[in-house]
Each structure stands twice: as structure tokens, then as C-alpha cells.
């Protein structure tokens, strides 16, 4: 394959098939659909629940749980550091994690444009498998539809997810109050700039890759350690950190003060944002979360996170204030300040 | 609107908005996304769980449950008897019903092509609302993505669903045995022929409409009445009755004998199939289910169903046999017989 981001899993060669592209017949519900399921999709993702192949997966849940959904339409489908498959797993795992839940079960629904190369689907499926193993979740039910050429764009993926709420979790934005601290789990804007650089054909000094990753190990460790002191999680995907903080500020009528010089960012990302004229606060992230925690625990949470592998750049970036309710204000290191609004318009379409 | 199937809910006029079509900005995660959510989507579908607007919905489930997903890509999005919105609710409600579950919670994810008319989205949302009320389910979480013109087709919808398994349900295909009876809940092939007639501009004597409807009231009534004697449910959507029966025959290594003259079908549908050269056994249904029940209860189940409003044409159409394992055989009324295979190729793309 000419696409450098398509890293075929050579350890798992694709079985010999009668077809090398997806056709409308693969969405018919008939013989071809069943061949695609038996020889490819279910074979890669197999587990006892999925193998039953009923219309619905049978699960056992007891107590409070979270339920979430996201569709993924990212373009290009293969990008530096990942593809639409692992992104779709990370995205839904992370939405569950942000709810204070342990991600457990995932549904997987494909809308495929006629003509998709089977090798691309194979690679996507293996990335999905790897991502589910990494996050400790199972794909338990699914669906495959096919649309005509020109009526889709290679592949769209919907993942919905279910997970039990951690017994110690008290994630509830209404509990946020004056003095609470805002923590970023790592450098921002990496995903968006990695995708944009690929689209625009930009070359950076080093190879910038998406930060797409599961966040559940870190959020559950925080809940385990700090229980009710953790009040709010959000992964700032579309719309970036600015939009996520504006959402919580306006829904809870709180003010948020941000210290600009504390916001972590990779040098290549900073350079990319300057080159592209983008404000990193609005650029999408896929492997970062915002935590709002009790004021007394801010520095402890920051230090705890920094000691988790992959979160060394976690940073306490701001505070909840009584002044300017519903507004987010960014303070620069040299005394200036500006209001950070919610994203207006669209900056980077199809970033996830 | 010129589309006769777009029946604007005049009782619920659309609020005054700054936009009359969907733009890429509505998928940005920023201001426009929030306006679309606040003024349109969440306003129409509001309920206490959805109103929390967290990344995940918080639910309480105790015991065995079913979890299911389906994407809907039907074309045209408005068709005689429904639209992609109510179809998406019925489809997922019915998959839960087929699992022996009480449908409860639904996730709703849109992939919208830039340029979709707001009036069409408004109508779809109201159909979704009506369908959820009819089936007794709540939309509790969702997602909206927008793709560029020419990269989608108006709107695709994914719905995933959750429901508690009925305590008396013992739906399990492995329990099917020789002598069990096969029952169809109503006339077949109506949905597919209604869609095809619209696509092909065919006129029937009467106005044929899709059979799309929620099936959970009927399946739960059967479980309540006949508990473990109900062994299997399946709604024969894509691929039709032929493909659904072939799937269960081959997975359970059972033979199925069908009596052709017992299979219920509307006259217009029969005529449409002849005109279009389609075998009704392969045409999609959206408001019909197959039940496989203990042999001793076959006629009782048929009679019970016939007494439920909307299922008057339920019919005992076949039997599980030891002969010809993994095969479905259709017996005509006049002594002929033929093997009914699974659908090969694609007959009616994008029927759901």
C-alpha cells in the first residue's frame, strides 16, 4: 500500500477471499454479508458474547452505569498515529471514562462506501481489536451497511459503549465550586495538528502523531485515589479545550481563570498552529482530559497524574472563580488577559 | 415542501433559527453545534437523563439486559409510511424486542451531509419523538457529525439500544428442536415494496405504505403468555424472511419446511413483486417478526397473536424438521417444493 499510515498487520495475514473490495452485496443481509461477518469481522473480533450473533448482545449489569455513543467520520481514515478504527474505540472508551465509568462493552457499526479496499478494512479491524485489548473492553454487537460510491466517504464508524460507574465516582458538574482547580492531563492540540499536517502536506521536524489513546486507566486511578474530590471530567475533542470549558462554565454559571503559560503543548504543535493560523485552545484532542477537582487537592492530583505513564506533562492550568460567571478568561504570563469564547464556525471539519 | 411524504408537524412549528440548512459548523463542537442542540435536538427530545448533557447518560440497570446497534442509510429518507427517523427507532426497539428484552434506552447519532434542510431535520426529529413515545423508550445520549456535500447522503442515523431481558424470556436458538413451529407475525415484503415503488415511481391501486412499526408490545405479550415455549424471535429486515430462516437453519443445523400458501402477503405487494421481478421471501420487512415456538403451542400462539391489534394476519407458516438439516424448503400449495437459499447479491440497496 502506498499510504504510509496503513501499517498492515503482517502477523495476521488476511484470509483468502472471493472479493478484494466491499460491494453493495456486503450490505444486503444475505450471503455476502454473512461471508464478510464469518470470515472477516467476527473472526477478528471474536469473543463469546459476539459469537452468539443474535440481534442483541446479552449482558449482565448491576447498578449505576453509563451509556454513550459517537460516530466517527474522520478524514483521512488513516492518519499519523492511528486510524478511524482505534479512534472510534478510544473515543467511546473515553466518553465512558469521563462519566466515571469502567468501559466494558462496545457496539460497532460500519457505514461503508462501496469500493472500500478489503486491506484497509482488515487493517481497521485489527486496530479496533488492539484498541479494545488495550482498553479492556469487548465489542459485543455490531452492524454493517454499504452505500453507493459517492454517497459516503470510504468508511464511517459508530461506537456506542456501556460501563459500570465506579463506586467511588461522584462526577457531577453541579458540584463544581469556587476555588476548584482545573487540570489538563497532557499537551493539547496534538490530534488536530497531526491530522491537519497530513491534510495540508506539512512536514514537521519530527513526525508528529495523534495523541489518540484510551484514558480510562488514568481517570479510574484518580477516582480510586481521590474519590469525591474529583468533580468533573471532560475530553476536549471537537471544539477543543476552549469549547469544553465554555460548556461547563455556562451550564454551571461559574467563571474559569486559565494561566496561559501553564497550558502544556508540544513544540511542533505550537509551530503548526502558528503556521496554520490556528488557536490551539480550539484544536481537537483525542488523548487529553480536563479534570476539575477540589481546590485543596489540586496540586496532589497534578503530581499523581504526572506519575502515571504517559501523563508526565499533566498541568494545573486554572481555577474556578466567582467573578465573570459563565466566562473563561485566559491570563498570559505577562499580565495580559482575554476572554476565551466557544468555537464559532468550523475550524477543522471531520477531525474525529 | 414538494415531498408528499414530508408531513410537517404543524402543531409544532420550528423555532426561528439563524440558519435554514445544516452547515459544517453544526458539527464543529462549538457554538453552532450547541445552538443546534439547545434549540432543536434537545428541545424536541427532552427528558431528564438527556437534559444532563454529559458525555454519557447515567442509567441504572439490574440483571440481564440486551444491547444492540444499527445504522440506517435508507434512501429516500422520506418514504410512504415513515422516514429514516422513526425507522431508526423502530429498528433498534425491534432488535431489543427480538432478544426478549423490554426496550428502554436509545442512543441517537446523526451523520448529516452539509446542506440538509432544517425542515427535513425537524420532521425527522418529531418522527423520532413520536416513535419513542409509541414504543415507550427514551433517547438518553447522542451525537451529531456533519460531512461535506457529496461525502454523505442527506442523513444517516445510528441508534443503539438497551433493555432489560423479560424475566420469563428464554430466547435461545439452541433450544429449537424438531416439531417446533414457525410463525410469521404479519404480511411480508411490505416495507421493501413500498420503498421500491417510491424509487421506481410505481403507482399501485391503493397507497402502499411501509410496515415499519415497533414490535415490542407483541413480543412481550407472547413471552408473558407462553414464557419458555417461545424459543426464538427474529425480525427479517435486510435479506428478508429467506435469509433470516437460512441463518437460523444453518447455525442450528435444523431443517425448516415452509408452507407457501400460508405466507401472508398484501395483494399490492404480490403485484409489486411480480412487476419488479422480486421474490417476496427476499424483500425486507420492518414491522414483521418470525417466532419459533414449541410444537405443542403453535396454533395457540398463532391465535393469540391474531387477537393483538395490528397482527390479525399472523400465520403459522412452517415447522422445524430433522430432514434436510441447514436447509429451508418451501412447499407450494399444489405439491411442488424448492430449496430457499440465503439472498445472493443485492436486491434492494439501502432499504434500511
Amino acid at each position: 500500500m502506498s499510504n504510509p499510515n496503513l501499517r498492515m498487520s503482517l502477523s495476521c495475514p488476511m484470509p483468502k477471499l472471493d472479493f478484494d473490495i466491499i460491494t453493495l452485496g456486503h450490505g444486503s443481509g444475505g450471503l455476502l454479508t454473512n461471508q464478510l461477518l464469518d470470515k472477516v469481522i467476527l473472526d477478528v473480533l471474536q469473543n463469546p458474547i459476539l459469537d452468539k450473533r443474535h440481534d442483541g448482545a446479552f449482558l449482565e449489569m448491576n447498578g449505576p452505569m453509563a451509556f454513550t455513543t459517537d460516530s466517527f467520520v474522520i478524514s483521512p481514515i488513516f492518519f499519523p498515529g492511528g486510524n478511524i478504527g482505534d479512534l472510534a474505540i478510544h473515543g467511546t472508551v473515553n466518553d465512558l471514562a469521563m462519566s466515571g465509568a469502567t468501559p466494558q462493552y462496545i457496539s460497532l457499526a460500519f457505514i461503508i462506501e462501496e469500493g472500500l479496499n478489503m486491506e484497509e478494512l482488515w487493517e481497521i479491524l485489527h486496530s479496533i481489536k488492539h484498541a479494545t485489548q488495550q482498553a479492556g473492553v469487548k465489542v459485543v454487537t455490531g452492524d454493517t451497511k454499504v452505500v453507493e460510491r459517492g454517497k459516503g466517504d470510504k468508511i464511517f464508524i459508530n461506537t456506542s459503549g456501556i460501563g459500570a460507574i465506579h463506586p467511588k465516582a461522584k462526577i457531577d458538574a453541579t458540584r463544581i465550586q469556587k476555588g476548584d482547580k482545573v487540570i489538563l492531563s497532557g499537551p493539547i492540540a496534538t490530534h488536530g495538528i497531526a491530522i491537519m499536517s497530513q491534510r495540508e502536506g506539512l512536514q514537521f521536524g519530527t513526525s508528529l502523531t495523534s495523541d489518540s489513546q484510551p484514558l480510562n486507566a488514568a481517570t479510574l486511578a484518580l477516582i480510586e485515589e481521590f474519590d469525591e474530590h474529583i468533580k468533573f471530567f471532560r475530553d476536549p475533542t471537537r471544539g477543543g479545550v476552549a469549547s469544553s470549558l465554555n460548556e461547563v462554565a455556562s451550564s454551571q454559571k461559574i467563571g474559569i481563570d486559565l494561566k496561559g503559560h501553564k497550558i502544556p503543548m508540544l513544540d511542533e504543535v505550537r509551530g503548526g498552529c502558528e503556521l496554520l493560523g490556528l488557536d490551539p485552545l480550539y484544536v481537537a484532542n483525542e488523548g487529553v482530559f480536563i479534570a476539575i477537582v477540589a481546590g485543596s487537592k489540586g496540586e496532589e492530583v497534578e503530581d499523581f497524574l504526572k506519575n502515571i505513564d504517559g501523563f508526565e506533562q499533566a498541568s494545573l492550568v486554572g481555577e474556578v472563580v466567582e467573578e465573570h460567571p459563565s466566562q473563561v478568561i485566559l491570563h498570559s504570563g505577562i499580565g495580559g488577559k482575554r476572554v476565551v469564547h466557544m468555537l464559532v464556525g468550523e475550524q477543522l471539519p471531520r477531525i474525529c
Side-chain angles (χ1 to χ4, degrees), chain A residues 253-275:
Chain A
K253 310 275 183 293
I254 54 169
I256 294 177
D257 274 350
L258 287 181
K259 298 171 221 158
H261 63 288
K262 289 280 200 176
I263 296 175
M265 203 180 325
L266 301 178
D267 287 339
E268 301 97 301
V269 171
R270 197 182 306 275
C273 283
E274 284 171 11
L275 201 62

Side-chain angles (χ1 to χ4, degrees), chain A residues 181 183 225-226 229-230 293-303 316:
Chain A
K181 304 297 184 193
I183 290 162
E225 181 74 15
F226 296 99
H229 295 107
I230 308 289
V293 308
S296 62
K297 296 286 178 181
E299 272 141 41
E300 269 182 73
V301 170
E302 182 189 26
D303 288 340
L316 197 166

Side-chain angles (χ1 to χ4, degrees), chain A residues 48-259:
Chain A
I49 303 173
L50 189 62
D51 295 349
K52 284 206 181 285
R53 296 189 59 169
H54 204 282
D55 278 347
F58 293 99
L59 309 174
E60 179 93 22
M61 296 295 288
N62 286 293
M65 54 170 261
F67 177 32
T68 179
T69 193
D70 256 322
S71 291
F72 294 84
V73 298
I74 192 165
S75 174
I77 57 173
F78 292 92
F79 52 82
N83 63 52
I84 192 170
D86 42 34
L87 182 71
I89 300 300
H90 296 159
T92 287
V93 160
N94 291 348
D95 279 352
L96 292 170
M98 298 308 117
S99 307
T102 303
Q104 293 169 274
Y105 303 112
I106 304 283
S107 68
L108 178 69
F110 296 119
I111 298 176
I112 301 176
E113 182 190 13
E114 180 187 16
L116 180 73
N117 194 305
M118 275 306 299
E119 288 188 336
E120 292 185 304
L121 183 59
W122 185 251
E123 176 70 16
I124 288 166
L125 284 167
H126 276 276
S127 299
I128 288 170
K129 180 181 181 178
H130 178 255
T132 58
Q133 289 169 337
Q134 197 189 357
V137 296
K138 283 189 174 62
V139 171
V140 294
T141 189
D143 179 49
T144 302
K145 295 291 192 304
V146 182
V147 297
E148 310 90 326
R149 275 177 213 270
K151 299 295 185 185
D153 195 10
K154 291 200 162 204
I155 186 167
F156 301 144
I157 301 180
N158 178 282
T159 45
S160 300
I162 289 176
I165 301 290
H166 189 289
K168 287 186 176 177
K170 288 190 116 180
I171 305 296
D172 182 352
T174 64
R175 295 177 57 236
I176 298 173
Q177 62 187 46
K178 179 191 165 191
D180 286 352
K181 304 297 184 193
V182 180
I183 290 162
L184 274 173
S185 72
I188 69 166
T190 313
H191 176 74
I193 296 301
I195 306 301
M196 275 309 270
S197 67
Q198 160 120 353
R199 283 194 203 154
E200 305 289 324
L202 300 183
Q203 302 290 333
F204 294 105
T206 57
S207 56
L208 185 65
T209 58
S210 165
D211 63 354
S212 179
Q213 63 170 331
L215 297 167
N216 52 321
T219 54
L220 290 168
L222 285 179
I223 291 168
E224 194 63 55
E225 181 74 15
F226 296 99
D227 42 51
E228 83 276 7
H229 295 107
I230 308 289
K231 301 186 174 181
F232 180 78
F233 283 135
R234 179 64 55 97
D235 57 334
T237 56
R238 286 182 293 171
V241 170
S243 299
S244 290
L245 288 179
N246 266 282
E247 273 178 34
V248 65
S250 73
S251 73
Q252 304 309 318
K253 310 275 183 293
I254 54 169
I256 294 177
D257 274 350
L258 287 181
K259 298 171 221 158

Side-chain angles (χ1 to χ4, degrees), chain A residues 28-45:
Chain A
S28 67
L31 196 66
L32 282 170
T33 304
N34 277 275
Q35 280 182 1
L36 180 65
L37 283 174
D38 290 337
K39 295 193 182 173
V40 182
I41 299 176
L42 296 179
D43 191 58
V44 173
L45 300 175

